[in-house]
């Protein structure tokens, strides 16, 4: 999307207002100076014209409200409201090109590596992420740097660590159960379709209207059919070849930590909107890491029985909200120790 659909969308709204108002002035002049003879047809046309322009102005007002007053993230950033959210909140970007504060390197360094969970998708203020909350607990002697971005997988985690000009004393890997996707894809298992795009004949209108985009995506949020995403993950985790390939991805991260002499800790996130449905996968990952002598904090037992609405950003975005991030930071601080 170009900047027209972010900060400069008011140009379109202003043009819409000018065009509609000009048309209204022409209509008034028509009925006042040209079509002056009274009659039933004239009255009907006047009423229809008034209804038309009232509707056009109403749509303009609603469009403005949804463009600037309704800013909400979704899990995959495919709605205009979510792109507007990213435009407003996906900052600061530091010199390492991550959504994080500019690091001030101190005696002890913590790297938090991961995907959108670590980057804080849906969290407007990065100080509310669990990494930043942990940094405040650790104090001035520590640097906590976040190496994360939306859509990353374990291979991206490792690449970010390898190319960084610093090495950590503590490595925290923020793991989510969809991290197995790359291993599944490498063995021919494709991810199911996660959403239904609008028909071609109406797509250009929906993609350029915040109002219609909001209406459409809340009617057709997803199309998982018989092969749901959770079923896809279950198949991936129970496939021996895929699980073996995924273990190699985990092993590579563990090996990096050992090579740089960093204490490595995995924070294993379940699906917060369906913790029971993903607890077997998080437990499997945690057991394997434990067998490799790596600390793994499985969050599924901790969040079991909780109302998902208390944990996720919103109904369209199942990332952990500020409250969940705060709880994880506190749990991490209390259970993963000792800290030097």
């Amino acid at each position: 999307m170009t900047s027209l659909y972010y900060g400069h969308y008011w140009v379109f709204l202003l043009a819409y207002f000018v065009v509609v108002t000009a048309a209204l002035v022409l209509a008034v002049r028509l009925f006042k100076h040209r079509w002056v003879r009274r009659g039933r047809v004239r009255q009907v046309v006047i009423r229809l014209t008034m209804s038309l322009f009232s509707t056009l102005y109403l749509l303009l007002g609603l469009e403005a409200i949804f463009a600037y007053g309704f800013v909400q993230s979704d899990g995959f950033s495919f709605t205009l409201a979510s792109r507007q959210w990213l435009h407003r909140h996906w900052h600061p970007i530091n010199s390492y090109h991550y959504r994080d504060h500019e690091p001030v390197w101190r005696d002890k360094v913590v790297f938090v590596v991961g995907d959108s969970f670590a980057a804080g998708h849906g969290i407007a203020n990065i100080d509310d992420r669990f990494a930043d909350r942990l940094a405040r607990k650790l104090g001035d002697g520590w640097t906590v740097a976040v190496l994360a971005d939306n859509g990353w997988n374990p291979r991206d985690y490792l690449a970010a660590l390898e190319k960084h000009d610093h090495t950590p004393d503590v490595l925290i890997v923020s793991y989510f159960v969809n991290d197995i996707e790359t291993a599944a894809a490498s063995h021919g298992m494709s991810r199911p379709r996660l959403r239904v795009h609008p028909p071609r004949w109406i797509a250009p209108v929906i993609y350029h209207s915040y109002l219609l985009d909001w209406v459409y995506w809340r009617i057709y949020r997803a199309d998982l059919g018989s092969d749901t995403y959770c079923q896809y993950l279950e198949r991936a985790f129970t496939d021996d070849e895929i699980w073996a390939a995924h273990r190699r991805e985990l092993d590579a991260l563990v090996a990096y930590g050992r090579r740089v002499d960093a204490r490595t800790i995995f924070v294993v996130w379940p699906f917060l909107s369906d913790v029971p449905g993903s607890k077997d996968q998080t437990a499997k990952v945690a057991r394997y890491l434990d067998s490799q002598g790596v600390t793994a904090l499985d969050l599924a037992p901790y969040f079991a029985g909780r109302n998902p609405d208390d944990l996720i950003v919103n109904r369209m975005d199942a990332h952990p909200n500020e409250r969940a991030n705060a709880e994880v930071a506190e749990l991490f601080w209390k259970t993963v120790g000792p800290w030097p």
Side-chain angles (χ1 to χ4, degrees):
M1 299 295 291
T2 64
S3 61
L4 174 62
Y5 294 101
Y6 295 132
H8 298 120
Y9 192 62
W10 64 268
V11 175
F12 167 76
L13 298 177
L14 179 60
Y16 180 111
F17 175 80
V18 170
V19 170
V20 172
T21 302
L24 176 59
V25 170
L26 290 177
V28 170
R29 290 178 62 85
L30 172 65
F31 291 116
K32 188 174 181 180
H33 301 291
R34 298 279 183 168
W35 193 353
V36 296
R37 173 183 257 177
R38 296 185 179 276
R40 183 180 181 85
V41 174
R42 181 177 180 273
Q43 291 301 317
V44 171
V45 174
I46 288 176
R47 290 172 183 171
L48 290 175
T49 302
M50 292 175 61
S51 298
L52 172 63
F53 281 100
S54 297
T55 301
L56 291 175
Y57 279 116
L58 175 62
L59 291 175
L60 173 62
L62 290 174
E63 185 69 23
I65 290 172
F66 279 90
Y68 291 102
F70 184 83
V71 179
Q72 184 185 72
S73 63
D74 66 65
F76 300 97
S77 297
F78 55 84
T79 65
L80 291 180
S82 187
R83 294 174 186 178
Q84 187 78 293
W85 185 93
L86 289 172
H87 177 69
R88 290 192 186 185
H89 300 297
W90 202 255
H91 57 75
I93 305 298
N94 64 22
S95 61
Y96 292 92
H97 307 293
Y98 297 117
R99 187 196 184 208
D100 196 17
H101 297 294
E102 190 64 31
V104 178
W105 301 107
R106 299 185 174 93
D107 293 338
K108 294 293 184 180
V109 175
V110 178
F111 278 174
V112 179
V113 64
D115 59 5
S116 52
F117 276 56
H121 193 284
I123 305 296
N125 185 350
I126 64 171
D127 291 332
D128 292 327
R129 301 180 302 187
F130 83 89
D132 297 82
R133 290 177 178 274
L134 179 62
R136 291 194 291 275
K137 289 179 176 294
L138 287 171
D140 294 337
W142 291 76
T143 296
V144 178
V146 175
L147 286 60
D149 204 355
N150 296 331
W152 272 16
N153 58 64
R155 298 177 188 178
D156 297 313
Y157 308 164
L158 183 62
L161 292 168
E162 295 280 9
K163 72 179 184 181
H164 207 283
D165 56 6
H166 285 73
T167 56
D169 297 285
V170 177
L171 172 61
I172 301 173
V173 180
S174 177
Y175 177 94
F176 183 48
V177 287
N178 71 346
D179 281 351
I180 201 172
E181 282 187 10
T182 50
S186 68
H187 285 77
M189 184 179 291
S190 300
R191 185 177 71 177
R193 196 156 55 113
L194 298 178
R195 59 185 184 268
V196 181
H197 289 282
R200 291 183 179 180
W201 62 272
I202 197 173
V205 178
I206 291 176
Y207 289 147
H208 292 81
S209 168
Y210 285 88
L211 171 62
L212 296 181
D213 181 82
W214 184 90
V215 171
Y216 180 83
W217 287 113
R218 278 150 186 79
I219 295 175
Y220 301 101
R221 188 189 185 288
D223 180 25
L224 303 180
S226 59
D227 188 7
T228 68
Y229 188 68
C230 290
Q231 291 171 339
Y232 153 78
L233 286 180
E234 184 178 353
R235 292 204 319 274
F237 272 97
T238 54
D239 185 289
D240 291 338
E241 292 186 357
I242 293 175
W243 174 239
H246 190 46
R247 289 202 311 269
R248 290 192 290 271
E249 294 175 334
L250 300 177
D251 290 341
L253 290 167
V254 173
Y256 168 85
R258 288 173 176 160
R259 187 169 71 248
V260 301
D261 196 25
R263 183 187 180 192
T264 302
I265 306 163
F266 279 70
V267 178
V268 185
W269 294 88
F271 267 111
L272 296 179
S273 56
D274 183 18
V275 174
S278 55
K279 65 180 179 62
D280 291 341
Q281 287 112 37
T282 61
K284 185 171 187 176
V285 171
R287 283 196 304 271
Y288 176 72
L289 293 170
D290 183 66
S291 72
Q292 302 303 303
V294 177
T295 302
L297 180 60
D298 183 2
L299 297 176
Y302 178 75
F303 288 130
R306 300 282 292 277
N307 183 352
D309 291 340
D310 294 334
L311 303 173
I312 63 177
V313 174
N314 58 61
R315 292 294 181 90
M316 292 283 286
D317 189 348
H319 287 90
N321 59 20
E322 290 86 350
R323 180 187 300 179
N325 273 264
E327 292 183 19
V328 169
E330 189 66 26
L331 179 68
F332 191 93
W333 175 257
K334 290 180 178 179
T335 60
V336 179
W339 294 93

